Structure formats: structure tokens, C-alpha cells
Amino acid sequence: MYSDAALEQLRKEALSQFWIRIGIVLLIAICLVVISPFLMIFGALTGIVITALIPNPSKKKYFDAVKDSAIRGQFEKAFGEVMVDYKKGFSENFISHTGLLQMGNEFSSDDYVSGVCNGVPFSRSDVYIASSSSDSDGNSSTTVLFEGRWMVFDFPKELSGDLQVFEKSFHYAKKRKGIFTRKAERRHEIFLEDENFNKRYVVMAQDDHDAFYFLTPHMMEKIDRYCSQSDGRFMLGILGNRLHVAINNSKNPMEPSLFRKNDVEEVRAEVANEIALIQRTIEEFNLDVYQ
Amino acid sequence: MSPVVIVICVVLLIIVGWIILTINGIRRMQVKISEAEADIDVALNKRFDVLTKMLDVAKSYLGEERDIILKSIQMRAAMTLAQKGATGAAMENAQKQLLAVGESYPQPGSTNQFKQLQIAIMDTEEHLQAARRVYNSNISRYNQMCVSFPNSLVAAIIGASRREFFKIDESKRQDVDMKF
């Protein structure tokens, strides 16, 4: 474990390493421009590639130190024994199998944490899904389908089929309702008694009873409150005995930055926010009711 | 064939198609309502089973009252919706009394079996509520279909009329209010 002062020292070292590399690239470019402008472009590109490819050991050391001190330490303090892996996350297969989200052709996931909170096993990870394409003119475009946190909790009740609830502003949710979806996996839209809830959310279920069983008037109020307090667009899915909560906030939290002063404090605040969110999710959805 | 005849044929075809779709829609809703009613039966039966088990656990503290409660919550064949509502209310009352026994007497209340049954009864209660809400939601959609024009014309032709919502009869709820 590093002290805050030691972490700040590491950040400064990594930052100076970064600027040294930038300086070298600029120097090569300036030297080459004297010879030929074309060579300058070539040189600059080569420099950028070298900067990106050759690992900066100081930066890695700093990132590892922050994640170990701020992320692992805080999660352990809150939940006891936890499994933390900054480089790994949920697999593409895992997210794809939920059938909750459209999958593009780019996928990455990191900052995996799993543990037990109030007797409820949970896991969370940051997930990024995008779809890249290029037209006949060679113009490429990328649409981000999801960027945010994905949380999975053990669900204490048993439903006969899948249930999905998402805000209407949550784009790229997969509804699994078309004729091309296998009948066993097909969901249909449910309209509840609460008109306001119907206006704001889409409820998809394989069985009407499941939707009305989970979405009691009290639970609908809770979901609405939970969404209002969330920092992004919300979706939940109950698949088997698992509750999936996805919040699309276009952020990758808990990431250190070389350019932020007092970076560790910011990362700590983000970790505290993640911990509070896990606790709130368990409380709001009564996941610990039978523990 | 003259254009007028073609237009008339197309219009007739559209009308017949719409009538068929509307009739199918009404029939489909009727099936969904029957399914939802069957769901209520399933939930009531499940609740009855759990209550019976709870009564067995607490029988030494209830004495003769056990049989009275058991009789009041008994499910009968071919019950009307109102009777189902009354039985549901009786069950709710019996449930409250049993939970009170669990709180008053530490012996049955502290057993694992009693606690598990308490959890089970809460779960069956939630299932029953869900079944009622599904039923009422289907009834609401069906009634809207039956009264809104022009669907109401087709509904009248096939004899489909508004149906009652499932509600618990408050007076019946009072009838089974037994005290220990």
C-alpha cells in the first residue's frame, strides 16, 4: 500500500516520462521537416506508434499502485473478501447471452470486482460495446451502444422466464420480440396499471405473471427513484436467479489519470460511489430479504 | 370487371379482414382472461397448502379453532370470482391469526419450519396479488375492446360483453374475523 504522497510522486514521475516521449517525437519531427515535409509526417506517425506501443513502466506502476490502494483497499474495507481484477471484466459471451443488449463488433470490459454484500453475492464490471462500420467512400463511423457499469446480483426469487425493464431513453436494448427470435426466448411487451411508469419504461417479459409479480406498485416506485438517482440510463434484467443492472453513463469510472492533480482522491470518490451503488441496489430491490 | 366492382370487392375484403382480426383479438383476450383466472386458482391453492402446513405446526396452540379456520379457507370446485375473492380474504385473515400465534407463542414461532412457512406464505401472497393484477389488467383491456367503437359492433355480434374485475368482498372479509 502506498501513501497519498507516494502515489502523487509516482504520478509526477509517470507524467514526466510521458512528456519526455512527446518531446522526443516532436524533436524527430522537427529534424525530419528540415529534410522533407513528407518525412516529417512519416516521422510523426512513427513517433506516435512508438509512444503508444512501447509501454511506459512508470505509468503502469502508477496505475497499478492507485488501483491497489484505492480500489482493492476500499472494496475490501466495505465488503471483506473481494476478488478484484482491473484488467478483466465480463466476457463478451456472458453479456451477449443475457440477450438484453445489442452487441456490436467492438467489446471490452475491465475493472471486475466480485464479493458478497449483506449476504448477497455480486459482481460488477465496466463494459464498452460499440459498432464500427465504414462506407464505400472509406469513411468510418463508430456508434457506442453501451458504455458504463454492469452489475450482477443473486436474485432470491424464482421467475418462470426472463424479465427486462429499461428506460425508453436507453437505446440499443435488445427486446427479443421479433419473429426471428426463437419462441422459447421470445419476450413480449407488458403494460402495467401505472400509466406514468408505462410512459417512462419498457417492460418486456416471457410471462405476464412474472412482470406483475416483480413489479408491484411499491417496486415500480423504487425503480423510478433508483433511476432518478442514477447517473445514466438504466436497464435491469432478471434471468434465472440473477439480477442484471446496467447503467449506460458513457463513463469508465475508477480510471486513474496522469493529468489530474490529487488523482487518487478522485478515484477514491468514484470507488466510494460504486460501493454505495452496490449497497443501494441490494437495498432497493430487496435482494437481502431472505438472507 | 368494372373499377367500381373492384373497389367494392377490396373494401369488402378489408372489412371482412378487420372483422376476423377483431374477433380473433377478442377471443385471444378471453383465453388470456381464462388463463389469468386459472393463475388465481393456482395461487389460492398454493396459499391453502402453505396455510394447512402452518395450521399443522401450530395445531396444539389452536385446538378446535384449527378446524374452523381450515373450513373457512377450503377451496371448492367451480368457485365464482366473488367466492374466490371471499376465500382469498378468509385466507388472509387466517394468515394474520397464524402469524399472531407465531409471535405470541415462542415454541411454534421459533421453529425453522414455521419461519420457512412464514416466508412461503409471503411469497404465495405476492403471487396471488400478481395473479389478481394480471387478471384485472386483462379485464381492463378486454372491456376497452368491447366498449370502444367500432370493435363494440363485432363484440355485440359474437356476444362478448364487459366483465367484472376481481375484487375482495369487504363484508366477507369481516365474516371470518375470528379471535383466539
Side-chain angles (χ1 to χ4, degrees):
Chain A
M1 295 288 269
Y2 293 84
S3 67
D4 285 9
L7 287 170
E8 185 59 15
Q9 186 58 38
L10 283 176
R11 185 185 74 83
K12 284 176 180 166
E13 279 171 26
L15 189 62
S16 52
Q17 285 285 324
F18 173 81
W19 287 122
I20 288 168
R21 281 153 182 262
I22 295 290
I24 292 168
V25 171
L26 283 174
L27 197 66
I28 294 169
I30 290 163
C31 291
L32 288 172
V33 79
V34 179
I35 306 165
S36 155
F38 171 74
L39 280 177
M40 183 200 77
I41 295 163
F42 174 76
L45 285 173
T46 313
I48 289 165
V49 170
I50 290 169
T51 313
L53 288 184
I54 297 178
N56 179 349
S58 308
K59 184 181 163 189
K60 190 182 175 303
K61 192 178 172 188
Y62 170 66
F63 275 29
D64 286 350
V66 170
K67 291 202 167 190
D68 250 348
S69 303
I71 301 179
R72 187 189 296 278
Q74 261 177 285
F75 271 104
E76 277 175 354
K77 201 174 168 189
F79 305 126
E81 202 176 319
V82 288
M83 194 197 143
V84 181
D85 193 333
Y86 322 122
K87 288 175 190 124
K88 274 190 187 167
F90 294 127
S91 70
E92 187 174 358
N93 213 19
F94 175 79
I95 300 292
S96 169
H97 264 79
T98 62
L100 295 171
L101 204 63
Q102 291 179 33
M103 301 298 288
N105 46 17
E106 278 180 39
F107 180 92
S108 68
S109 181
D110 59 8
D111 287 341
Y112 177 86
V113 181
S114 73
V116 178
C117 174
N118 296 346
V120 181
F122 73 88
S123 51
R124 59 88 58 212
S125 185
D126 296 326
V127 173
Y128 173 84
I129 302 168
S131 176
S132 296
S133 59
S134 50
D135 60 19
S136 52
D137 298 332
N139 302 318
S140 61
S141 65
T142 301
T143 308
V144 178
L145 305 179
F146 181 87
E147 187 177 16
R149 59 175 85 81
W150 194 290
M151 300 180 282
V152 184
F153 301 87
D154 272 17
F155 188 67
K157 294 181 177 182
E158 216 171 286
L159 303 187
S160 58
D162 298 353
L163 174 68
Q164 179 187 28
V165 182
F166 58 92
E167 282 182 281
K168 285 193 172 161
S169 57
F170 191 108
H171 306 297
Y172 310 115
K174 195 174 183 178
K175 291 183 179 176
R176 270 193 175 169
K177 69 168 186 178
I179 50 165
F180 297 109
T181 308
R182 280 190 296 170
K183 206 175 176 185
E185 292 176 347
R186 210 176 290 163
R187 303 176 191 134
H188 59 272
E189 193 163 357
I190 307 280
F191 297 96
L192 299 152
E193 312 95 320
D194 188 337
E195 282 301 321
N196 288 332
F197 193 85
N198 291 338
K199 270 184 204 162
R200 193 170 169 194
Y201 303 93
V202 177
V203 179
M204 305 293 297
Q206 288 180 317
D207 184 35
D208 293 23
H209 183 92
D210 285 341
F212 282 86
Y213 173 61
F214 176 69
L215 295 166
T216 59
H218 187 48
M219 183 54 77
M220 284 190 264
E221 274 175 28
K222 282 183 165 198
I223 288 177
D224 213 31
R225 188 171 56 218
Y226 186 89
C227 273
S228 307
Q229 291 171 0
S230 290
D231 59 349
R233 293 170 295 280
F234 162 89
M235 173 169 69
L236 78 77
I238 300 173
L239 316 163
N241 60 348
R242 295 269 177 87
L243 170 78
H244 295 251
V245 177
I247 296 170
N248 190 356
N249 55 4
S250 309
K251 280 183 198 162
N252 188 0
M254 305 193 293
E255 287 302 315
S257 167
L258 293 179
F259 306 103
R260 275 194 310 219
K261 267 192 174 178
N262 300 319
D263 181 41
V264 190
E265 281 309 311
E266 297 230 9
V267 174
R268 277 204 189 111
E270 285 174 356
V271 175
N273 188 34
E274 295 301 309
I275 290 169
L277 186 70
I278 290 167
Q279 288 166 334
R280 190 157 66 86
T281 309
I282 288 171
E283 198 179 302
E284 290 283 30
F285 296 112
N286 303 330
L287 302 177
D288 56 347
V289 71
Y290 297 135
Q291 298 301 325
Chain B
M1 211 186 275
S2 77
V4 177
V5 176
I6 293 172
V7 169
I8 289 170
C9 284
V10 169
V11 169
L12 277 175
L13 209 66
I14 290 169
I15 290 171
V16 170
W18 171 77
I19 290 172
I20 290 169
L21 283 177
T22 309
I23 290 174
N24 280 345
I26 292 171
R27 295 274 185 248
R28 211 175 296 127
M29 280 312 300
Q30 286 172 339
V31 170
K32 283 193 90 172
I33 289 167
S34 302
E35 283 173 359
E37 202 176 336
D39 257 8
I40 293 175
D41 288 346
V42 170
L44 279 172
N45 274 316
K46 204 172 163 188
R47 200 178 182 193
F48 174 75
D49 289 343
V50 180
L51 279 172
T52 314
K53 280 179 193 162
M54 273 184 111
L55 281 167
D56 286 340
V57 173
K59 65 182 169 192
S60 55
Y61 299 88
L62 293 170
E64 285 176 6
E65 298 291 347
R66 179 190 176 275
D67 295 332
I68 299 168
I69 297 173
L70 197 62
K71 206 177 168 188
S72 72
I73 62 173
Q74 202 87 45
M75 292 283 289
R76 290 175 291 276
M79 287 165 85
T80 63
L81 214 55
Q83 286 169 328
K84 280 175 197 167
T87 309
M91 284 182 181
E92 205 170 310
N93 238 302
Q95 181 184 320
K96 279 180 194 161
Q97 289 167 346
L98 280 166
L99 294 178
V101 168
E103 280 167 19
S104 310
Y105 301 96
Q107 196 58 38
S110 62
T111 61
N112 258 347
Q113 196 187 2
F114 199 83
K115 280 177 184 163
Q116 278 174 356
L117 287 168
Q118 276 179 315
I119 293 169
I121 203 111
M122 280 192 280
D123 193 50
T124 54
E125 170 65 24
E126 285 169 13
H127 274 293
L128 184 60
Q129 292 290 350
R132 279 179 194 152
R133 288 171 60 220
V134 173
Y135 180 84
N136 283 345
S137 159
N138 285 330
I139 287 286
S140 169
R141 283 166 65 197
Y142 174 76
N143 285 349
Q144 281 172 32
M145 208 180 244
C146 287
V147 297
S148 60
F149 185 81
N151 289 353
S152 53
L153 297 175
V154 180
I157 291 166
I158 61 169
S161 57
R162 286 180 60 132
R163 291 201 191 177
E164 285 300 307
F165 286 94
F166 186 100
K167 38 192 174 193
I168 295 173
D169 190 342
E170 287 301 321
S171 59
K172 293 276 172 55
R173 191 196 281 263
Q174 295 300 319
D175 285 346
V176 289
D177 194 13
M178 292 171 289
K179 300 261 186 285
F180 294 106

